[in-house]
Amino acid sequence: MSDTPPGPKGEPLFGSSRRYARDPFSFISALEETYDDVARFDMGPMETYMVTDPTDIERILVSEADAYRKPDFQNDALGDLLGDGLLLSEGETWERQRELANPAFRMSRLMGMADRVTGHAESMVDGWESGQTVDAEGAMARVTLNVILDLMMGVELSDSRVRTVQDQLDPLGRRFEPDPLRFAMPDWVPMPGDEEFESAVAELDSVLDDVVAARRGDDGVRGVSTVLDAPAEDENPPMDFLSVLLRAQDRGEQSAEMLRDEMMTMLLAGHDTTALTLTYTWFLLSEHPEAERRVQEEVDEVVGNERPSMDHVREFEYLDWVIDEAMRLYPPVFTIFREPTEPVELGGYRVDAGSTLMLPQWGVHRSARYWDDPESFDPERFGPDRRDDRPRFAFFPFGGGPRHCIGKHLSLLEAKLIVATVVSEYELDFQGETPLELMPSLTMHPRQTMEMELVER
């Protein structure tokens, strides 16, 4: 077994971080194309191994998941933002919080929420007019934010409070764009953008404080209203995530800080990835009219003159493939990280405990080793005849194993219901330039405004 995988030679101090920061997507693609299953490079002082073999990725995330953890480097500014919530916590804390969260995300519960998701989509569409130009990314972020507030927190925010949340997303996102100076400097060194980031976190904390106060019965909270009816004595208690956490807090099992961390994680991670999946879906349909026509025909046939519902979601096929293909080409989470807690062997190489492992959805989803004509938009590649020929972890938009995204089923349900609701009324025609310029942060956003013209069907 060789000790050192091949990889690019970096610069002193910075390693490959300046090249990565300029364009992480082309950097990941170049490494995937040039090297085999494992490539080594330095991200500033941090020794990093990029793993692109689906079998090794499955080992890391699933079969040998206990031998890996999330790296400590994710707990600086990200820790300030999300704290010890589900996304970052480890060990017993994560296990306890995941067990608490599971009932809120069970498919049996979500099936009963489909009408409420459709209702939020209908409210969005009711405010549209044919010929109007909308920012599709902004619209999708608002509707998915409203869904997560309703289904997981049991509240509705006023339009002004929703705008307050959305206004904080840009300074938060800029803080996590790759910066070679941040890679090279200790966490305590002040950097440009830190004050804006801290201010944005404080604003979101204020919103969450008001959400909790409203759910605790304070009727004087501005811009926050509850959407849950108090259950009768013989009825089961509400199972939205915030209700579950509040009951745990009443039992002394949840501190105020733990509740805050879970709510912040839910607020941000709970809507952003779904909004991006929808944004890229609209873009790809606009660029591929034949696929758009097939989605319209399927929705017309399955839904007809009814409201999109759980029964209809079960019947969609081509729409499922389109959403999967959007997440393949434009995975909202474009890479995830792990570190081994003991020495491991990957791709025939020894990797020491504490090394950083990069598992890039962007590189694997677009690899010619696993996908025919990988740069093309081809939803039918997710049909059963072709899907069975690929390794399982050639496609992993939601991660995998015990740490897979807890919101996977909600995200897909939302996406299908929102697309079906919109498609019943409008086409969205992209008005911007192509190819898209992508912006790396915690998730992958388009750099340009995603302006789309509404064309009534």
Side-chain angles (χ1 to χ4, degrees), residues 38 45 48 65 83 163 227 374 404 412 430 445:
V38 182
T48 305
R163 283 194 297 273
V227 295
H404 76 278
L412 292 174
F430 181 61
H445 289 254

Side-chain angles (χ1 to χ4, degrees), residues 219 247 371 398 442:
D219 295 331
R247 291 196 294 271
W371 305 92
F398 296 99
L442 291 177

Side-chain angles (χ1 to χ4, degrees), residues 38-286:
V38 182
R40 181 201 172 281
F41 62 97
D42 292 325
M43 190 74 80
M46 188 168 60
E47 187 175 46
T48 305
Y49 297 82
M50 191 177 89
V51 181
T52 54
D53 174 52
T55 301
D56 281 338
I57 292 171
E58 186 168 10
R59 285 175 52 206
I60 294 166
L61 296 180
V62 184
S63 62
E64 300 174 14
D66 289 345
Y68 300 87
R69 54 163 289 144
K70 294 203 170 186
D72 288 337
F73 84 87
Q74 291 186 304
N75 291 331
D76 42 34
L78 192 54
D80 293 340
L81 178 61
L82 302 182
D84 221 14
L86 278 173
L87 198 63
L88 299 183
S89 58
E90 291 284 347
E92 292 182 1
T93 298
W94 175 81
E95 291 176 1
R96 181 180 61 250
Q97 297 300 97
R98 181 83 175 206
E99 185 176 355
L100 277 174
N102 279 333
F105 289 92
R106 283 184 184 140
M107 200 63 203
S108 57
R109 175 178 184 264
L110 298 179
M111 288 167 60
M113 303 286 116
D115 284 348
R116 284 157 68 173
V117 176
T118 298
H120 287 290
E122 289 172 338
S123 295
M124 173 182 67
V125 171
D126 287 345
W128 290 354
E129 295 181 0
S130 185
Q132 178 185 355
T133 298
V134 299
D135 170 10
E137 184 182 3
M140 295 306 107
R142 280 190 297 278
V143 70
T144 55
L145 178 60
N146 285 330
V147 168
I148 212 72
L149 289 165
D150 178 357
L151 271 60
M152 291 298 148
M153 299 189 193
V155 299
E156 179 180 11
L157 297 187
S158 67
D159 289 344
S160 64
R161 298 305 293 272
V162 169
R163 283 194 297 273
T164 296
V165 172
Q166 290 195 283
D167 287 347
Q168 311 316 311
L169 301 183
D170 280 346
L172 292 182
R174 286 194 297 271
R175 173 59 183 84
F176 297 104
E177 291 184 38
D179 182 342
L181 282 177
R182 286 195 185 275
F183 288 130
M185 295 293 179
D187 295 340
W188 53 264
V189 175
M191 298 286 287
D194 285 353
E195 290 185 7
E196 290 84 355
F197 170 77
E198 291 166 4
S199 175
V201 174
E203 284 282 355
L204 293 181
D205 279 336
S206 176
V207 171
L208 292 176
D209 287 344
D210 286 348
V211 167
V212 172
R215 287 297 312 278
R216 286 292 192 188
D218 185 345
D219 295 331
V221 179
R222 178 179 58 85
V224 184
S225 57
T226 59
V227 295
L228 293 177
D229 295 326
E233 289 186 7
D234 59 343
E235 292 182 358
N236 293 324
M239 294 306 295
D240 63 281
F241 192 27
L242 182 51
S243 290
V244 171
L245 291 174
L246 290 174
R247 291 196 294 271
Q249 189 178 47
D250 291 341
R251 296 191 301 266
E253 299 169 2
Q254 200 82 189
S255 68
E257 183 178 7
M258 292 168 67
L259 190 147
R260 175 268 178 205
D261 292 347
E262 296 297 358
M263 287 299 96
M264 185 68 80
T265 299
M266 193 60 56
L267 183 73
L268 299 178
H271 86 278
D272 182 50
T273 53
T274 308
L276 289 169
T277 294
L278 286 162
T279 300
Y280 293 126
T281 296
W282 296 126
F283 167 71
L284 288 165
L285 289 177
S286 178

Side-chain angles (χ1 to χ4, degrees), residues 333-393:
V333 177
F334 63 93
T335 189
I336 58 180
F337 295 91
R338 293 289 187 271
E339 66 177 34
T341 58
E342 57 192 48
V344 295
E345 183 262 324
L346 294 169
Y349 301 102
R350 174 189 169 90
V351 178
D352 291 333
S355 301
T356 298
L357 305 181
M358 172 188 284
L359 316 179
Q361 285 97 329
W362 175 269
V364 179
H365 287 190
R366 288 174 172 251
S367 172
R369 291 187 286 171
Y370 313 115
W371 305 92
D372 297 330
D373 193 13
E375 302 294 318
S376 69
F377 176 69
D378 179 10
E380 292 189 47
R381 68 172 84 243
F382 284 94
D385 292 343
R386 294 167 65 182
R387 183 175 57 226
D388 292 343
D389 293 335
R390 291 188 299 271
R392 177 185 172 195
F393 274 77

